[in-house]
Coordinates of all heavy atoms in Angstrom, one line a residue:
D588 N 14.9 -26.1 12.3 CA 14.0 -25.5 13.3 C 13.9 -26.5 14.5 O 13.4 -27.6 14.3 CB 12.7 -25.2 12.7 CG 11.8 -24.2 13.6 OD1 12.1 -24.2 14.8 OD2 10.9 -23.6 13.0
G622 N -13.2 -21.3 38.9 CA -14.3 -20.9 39.7 C -15.6 -21.3 39.2 O -16.5 -21.9 39.9
A624 N -16.1 -23.8 37.0 CA -16.1 -25.3 37.0 C -16.4 -25.8 38.4 O -17.2 -26.8 38.6 CB -14.8 -25.8 36.5
L630 N -23.0 -27.6 41.9 CA -24.5 -27.7 41.5 C -24.8 -29.2 41.1 O -25.8 -29.7 41.5 CB -24.7 -26.8 40.4 CG -24.8 -25.3 40.7 CD1 -24.8 -24.5 39.4 CD2 -26.0 -25.0 41.6
A678 N -31.0 -27.2 35.7 CA -31.2 -26.0 34.8 C -30.2 -25.0 35.0 O -29.6 -24.5 34.0 CB -32.6 -25.4 35.0
G731 N -12.1 -26.5 24.9 CA -12.7 -25.5 25.8 C -13.8 -26.1 26.7 O -14.1 -25.5 27.7
P747 N -23.6 -43.0 40.7 CA -23.6 -44.5 40.9 C -22.9 -44.9 42.2 O -23.4 -45.9 42.8 CB -22.8 -44.9 39.7 CG -22.0 -43.7 39.2 CD -22.9 -42.6 39.6
G890 N -25.7 -46.8 36.2 CA -25.9 -45.8 35.1 C -24.7 -45.6 34.2 O -24.0 -44.6 34.2
G899 N -16.9 -39.8 27.2 CA -16.8 -39.5 25.8 C -16.4 -38.0 25.6 O -15.6 -37.6 24.8
L935 N 22.5 -1.9 6.7 CA 22.1 -3.3 6.9 C 23.3 -4.2 6.5 O 23.9 -4.1 5.5 CB 20.9 -3.6 5.9 CG 20.4 -5.0 5.9 CD1 19.7 -5.4 7.2 CD2 19.4 -5.2 4.7
G972 N 17.1 -17.3 -4.1 CA 17.0 -16.9 -2.6 C 16.7 -15.5 -2.4 O 16.9 -14.9 -1.2
A1018 N -1.9 -8.0 1.5 CA -3.2 -8.2 2.1 C -3.6 -6.9 2.8 O -2.8 -6.4 3.6 CB -3.0 -9.4 3.1
A1029 N -3.5 2.9 6.8 CA -3.0 3.3 8.1 C -2.6 2.1 9.0 O -1.9 2.2 10.0 CB -4.0 4.1 8.9
F1074 N -4.2 -2.5 -6.0 CA -4.0 -3.2 -4.8 C -2.5 -3.1 -4.4 O -2.2 -2.8 -3.2 CB -4.3 -4.7 -5.0 CG -5.4 -5.2 -4.1 CD1 -6.7 -5.4 -4.6 CD2 -5.2 -5.6 -2.8 CE1 -7.7 -5.8 -3.8 CE2 -6.2 -6.0 -2.0 CZ -7.5 -6.2 -2.5
Q1075 N -1.6 -3.2 -5.3 CA -0.2 -3.1 -5.0 C 0.1 -1.7 -4.6 O 1.0 -1.5 -3.7 CB 0.6 -3.6 -6.2 CG 2.0 -4.0 -5.9 CD 2.7 -4.8 -7.0 OE1 3.0 -4.2 -8.1 NE2 2.9 -6.0 -6.9
V1184 N 20.6 10.4 -5.2 CA 20.6 9.8 -3.9 C 21.6 8.7 -3.7 O 21.6 7.9 -2.8 CB 19.2 9.2 -3.6 CG1 18.2 10.3 -3.5 CG2 18.8 8.2 -4.5
A1186 N 24.3 6.8 -2.3 CA 24.8 7.0 -1.0 C 26.3 7.1 -1.0 O 27.0 6.5 -1.7 CB 24.4 5.8 -0.1

Side-chain angles (χ1 to χ4, degrees):
D588 193 338
L630 288 169
L935 178 67
F1074 243 99
Q1075 202 166 68
V1184 296

